[in-house]
Amino acid sequence: MNKDKIYINHPLLKRNKLIRRKYQENIFINCINSNCLVVIPTGLGKTIIALLLVMYKLNEKKNSKILFLAPTKPLVVQHKKIFSEFTNIPDEKLIVFTGAISPEKRKELWKNAKIVFSTPQTTSNDIISNNYSLSNVSLIIFDECHRAVGNYAYTFIAQKYISLGGNKQILGITASPGATEEKINIIKENLFIDKIEIRTEKDEDVKPYIQKVDIIWIKIDLPEDFLEILNILEKKLKETYKFLKHQNLIESEVIRNISRLKILGLNKEIDLKISQTTDDNEKFAMFNAKKMVANALRLSHMIELLETQGLKALEQYFTKSEENIQNNKSSKSLNELFQNRDFKKAINLTRKLISEGIIHPKMKKLKELLSEQISLNENSRILVFSQYRDSVNNIINYFGEDDVIQIHKFVGQQTKGRDKGMSQKNQLEILDKFKEGIYNVLVSTNVGEEGLDIPDCDLVIFYDMTPSVVRSIQRRGRTGRQKAGKIIILIAKGTRDEGYYWAELTKEKKMKESLIRMKNSKYEKKKNLMDFIKDIEQKKKNGLENYLDSESITPIRGAENYTIYVDNRETASSVVRTLSLYGVQIKLQNLEVADYIISKKVGVERKSTKDFSDSIKDGRFFKELKDLSQNFYRPILILEGENPIISSNLSENAIYGAIFSVMINMGIYIYQTKDSRETAKTLYHLVKKEQSLKKQEFKLRFEKAPIKISRLLEFIIAGVPGINYLRAKRLLSKFHKIKDIFNADIGNLMETPNIGKKLAQEIYKIANFKYQNDKVKSK
């Protein structure tokens, strides 16, 4: 079969506009009959590869749909533009889905769409809500597919899609799948990949299209003024490590020998020791160790801020921490650290140097580099990357109103404290102004690392280093796409900048070696869910439990018969996705009360250990649970994660007081789960028990009471167990007044259509039940 003709002669392809490259055609042909992972350097037209496969699939299955997923709205819109430019598919058939479009409208648009371009969270919510089915989708494209790990929506969507059966196909595309073969395998397994197509700058079919990119490293000395502050912070960190070493939790107190990852992992070890020991002295020491771990992480972060970002970034961290202390939002460990005399000296010295105008020398070097580049080429487009939003703001403030350097920040949507995030609409507007030249410099956090379509970006500056190979490759890929480019990396000498730089180089080398090994190896195809599950079970037998991020979740027979109402905010948790994978019917709503509603009488509030502590501090805890207890006969609180008595930064007395208060005073049942998977299982068994004997779906009654009196009467009568609105109308039509309904005997009630003996007895019992309130004592 001549596969070339299938897509070259496709009537929906604008052949005169599409410039195909040999490597794109080779990759396309090799991916026709596979779930394929394509690893290709940025700027080499990955969307064109996807487009060729899309045309082939639409020719093969003319009535099918295509789903193209990308992490952000700017990327989604960018892909849609390319398809509009290179195909004859009517624009009304190329649909963009984001959270800005209502679920109802998305449901309608889906019906007539040919290709849907969507963010993964939007698609995930639609699948959970059964807004539409993926059964008629012949191909899903996962752009930036290195994100398909852990709780990210890509993993859930892929599993739901493959579980439908049939000839389903997946294409994953990325420039940087991960540093190790294990991480690459996680992506491969999560997306059901059975073939890997890899291209590097050295491949013969790619070489002609690679642009020259010069990489320049500029090492910068820290000012002497920084050293006194640095010495204080390092001294405190060494004291912390010394204590942890004395408790046999770490092997060295030398700072450079202890990684942040090692410290992060200590909490589980400490919690295990606390739970196993009966010695009060050892338990006390372990509680102190938890405080030491928290402060070790803080001090390590402060040192990094000082070395790589400067005084202003460090001072902003101090200020935020002080505000948390003043507002009673801080932990004991933070309070104790900020009470330390030496630490206070570091804070005062930082503020003194800022008042004297001392800044990190990177800032002056950055201004010098930007001015030089724009003087050489006034049409330059420059991207500056920094890990921290505070540093982005500090850079913007440092340049102020500059006639030559027209600078603007580019950050994510999340609002952090007083720093408001950028909406996706705002992000697109900034990118357009950057392309037009209204801004010639963008200072960006990691949101600018993935997939920005900026062909004229001729200089990228790393204000700091990142140890992540994925992020580093993505940063570098912002230049050298259509023409030669330049990358300048600012490194503070003798600091973590240098350590991160060498770590990233090592990881990238390992990644390339892993990819080549995997490309040359033959491995079994796993194109259906059962093969995937069997593979996991085998790995568990072989002791490779950590090979994947999580076990596969299989559908449960009969689960589709049960319905749970879920608050929209819960979609950020994997609990809802797990329930959906079980097959439970999910109805997403903005719930005023509870996170999960199992039935008219059972409502569930879910709190992680952190949210449990935070909600007690900010006052939400008792308000939310009071509402829960007032609206449900069986209110349940699920505490998810570590034991809050062990892991919370609140005192034991406060935790016990909160728990027993809601149990005794509010009558709330408390159940603890170890993780989101166990929470989902708990909810499933709850709904199974509660709804197995119910013949009709229950309806929520948290709406406001109707204004019209007749509607109000229906609302009241429909509150009787077993009485829906139709039965309420029939009762009112027969008896006309509420008092006549409740004064009627069982025989009269049974004369109403659809009111049998059991319902009549229930109404009669309620009408004659004497109210009791144990909390109110009669005088």
Side-chain angles (χ1 to χ4, degrees), residues 219-236:
K219 292 194 174 183
I220 296 169
D221 291 308
L222 284 180
E224 290 289 329
D225 301 296
F226 282 33
L227 298 183
E228 187 176 354
I229 301 170
L230 187 60
N231 289 337
I232 293 171
L233 297 178
E234 287 186 340
K235 180 184 175 185
K236 290 299 302 175

Side-chain angles (χ1 to χ4, degrees), residues 731 734-735 745-761:
L731 282 164
K734 176 174 175 56
F735 293 96
D745 59 30
I746 293 173
N748 288 337
L749 289 168
M750 288 176 62
E751 293 174 4
T752 309
N754 282 350
I755 301 295
K757 187 175 181 180
K758 283 187 178 180
L759 281 177
Q761 288 174 335

Side-chain angles (χ1 to χ4, degrees), residues 10-184:
H10 198 290
L12 294 178
L13 198 60
K14 294 178 182 175
R15 295 184 305 249
N16 58 326
K17 292 199 72 176
L18 181 62
I19 301 173
R20 298 179 307 280
R21 297 170 178 175
K22 189 63 179 174
Y23 66 86
Q24 292 171 336
E25 294 184 1
N26 290 341
I27 292 171
F28 152 69
I29 290 169
N30 291 337
C31 288
I32 280 179
N33 295 312
S34 303
N35 285 348
C36 203
L37 170 62
V38 175
V39 182
I40 186 170
T42 54
L44 292 181
K46 61 181 180 181
T47 310
I48 300 301
I49 296 168
L51 187 148
L52 295 174
L53 189 56
V54 166
M55 292 298 103
Y56 175 80
K57 295 304 290 185
L58 290 179
N59 183 78
E60 182 185 48
K61 296 185 176 181
K62 293 182 171 59
N63 295 321
S64 68
K65 299 179 188 293
I66 306 293
L67 181 58
F68 200 132
L69 300 171
T72 64
K73 184 177 179 180
L75 264 176
V76 168
V77 172
Q78 178 180 310
H79 292 314
K80 194 256 185 181
K81 280 183 179 178
I82 291 174
F83 273 70
S84 295
E85 182 179 356
F86 292 120
T87 73
N88 292 313
I89 299 174
D91 212 48
E92 61 270 18
K93 298 284 186 181
L94 301 174
I95 305 297
V96 169
F97 277 8
T98 67
I101 302 170
S102 71
E104 294 77 17
K105 189 171 182 182
R106 293 199 300 267
K107 186 174 184 177
E108 286 302 311
L109 290 170
W110 177 267
K111 293 176 183 177
N112 297 316
K114 201 66 183 170
I115 307 175
V116 171
F117 304 86
S118 178
T119 54
Q121 188 60 51
T122 301
T123 298
S124 174
N125 288 348
D126 285 343
I127 294 170
I128 289 168
S129 302
N130 291 314
N131 215 14
Y132 47 77
S133 171
L134 300 181
S135 57
N136 194 33
V137 174
S138 59
L139 171 68
I140 298 184
I141 299 156
F142 294 86
D143 188 24
E144 308 293 358
C145 69
H146 52 269
R147 289 174 173 251
V149 294
N151 190 34
Y152 196 69
Y154 275 179
T155 305
F156 166 74
I157 294 168
Q159 193 165 340
K160 266 289 194 180
Y161 179 58
I162 294 297
S163 70
L164 294 170
N167 190 19
K168 304 299 183 188
Q169 188 167 0
I170 284 173
L171 174 66
I173 312 175
T174 181
S176 45
T180 65
E181 191 166 336
E182 183 181 26
K183 289 182 179 178
I184 298 167

Side-chain angles (χ1 to χ4, degrees), residues 474-664:
Q474 295 286 351
R475 281 185 178 188
R476 296 202 306 268
R478 300 311 102 209
T479 190
R481 298 163 75 87
Q482 304 295 329
K483 61 181 182 180
K486 183 165 61 173
I487 296 168
I488 296 177
I489 302 172
L490 301 180
I491 298 177
K493 199 183 295 181
T495 70
R496 305 212 181 164
D497 273 340
E498 283 191 339
Y500 287 165
Y501 170 71
W502 291 112
E504 189 278 322
L505 282 183
T506 302
K507 289 176 183 177
E508 187 170 350
K509 182 182 178 182
K510 285 182 179 178
M511 183 189 79
K512 289 179 177 177
E513 290 171 351
S514 297
L515 286 169
I516 297 302
R517 276 198 306 272
M518 295 177 78
K519 181 181 179 182
N520 295 333
S521 68
K522 294 181 179 179
Y523 44 83
E524 179 189 1
K525 291 189 175 184
K526 290 179 279 294
K527 291 197 67 174
N528 64 66
L529 190 59
M530 292 313 298
D531 286 341
F532 179 59
I533 294 163
K534 288 174 185 175
D535 186 60
I536 290 172
E537 293 302 319
Q538 187 59 48
K539 287 182 174 67
K540 290 169 80 174
K541 288 179 183 177
N542 295 338
L544 298 173
E545 291 92 342
N546 296 324
Y547 191 80
L548 299 175
D549 277 5
S550 59
E551 299 173 21
S552 177
I553 302 163
T554 57
I556 299 173
R557 184 177 296 176
E560 69 278 2
N561 297 322
Y562 310 127
T563 300
I564 300 179
Y565 285 86
V566 180
D567 186 70
N568 278 320
R569 289 161 292 192
E570 282 292 300
T571 56
S573 162
S574 61
V575 173
V576 186
R577 292 172 189 164
T578 302
L579 287 168
S580 178
L581 288 167
Y582 286 161
V584 175
Q585 300 297 308
I586 303 294
K587 294 200 173 183
L588 296 177
Q589 293 192 9
N590 290 319
L591 297 180
E592 294 180 15
V593 182
D595 293 324
Y596 301 86
I597 297 178
I598 306 300
S599 67
K600 281 185 177 181
K601 69 177 184 180
V602 181
V604 179
E605 187 77 21
R606 181 188 72 92
K607 289 201 176 294
S608 65
T609 303
K610 183 179 184 305
D611 188 37
F612 173 77
S613 299
D614 291 346
S615 64
I616 291 176
K617 289 177 184 177
D618 61 28
R620 285 182 293 115
F621 182 75
F622 292 105
K623 182 185 181 303
E624 290 171 350
L625 293 178
K626 182 181 177 183
D627 290 342
L628 189 73
S629 67
Q630 288 178 342
N631 282 279
F632 293 97
Y633 183 65
R634 288 282 183 262
I636 297 172
L637 169 64
I638 291 180
L639 291 179
E640 181 184 296
E642 300 174 71
N643 186 338
I645 294 170
I646 294 175
S647 57
S648 174
N649 51 31
L650 294 172
S651 69
E652 278 192 28
N653 287 339
I655 294 169
Y656 278 124
I659 289 174
F660 288 123
S661 177
V662 299
M663 288 175 67
I664 296 169

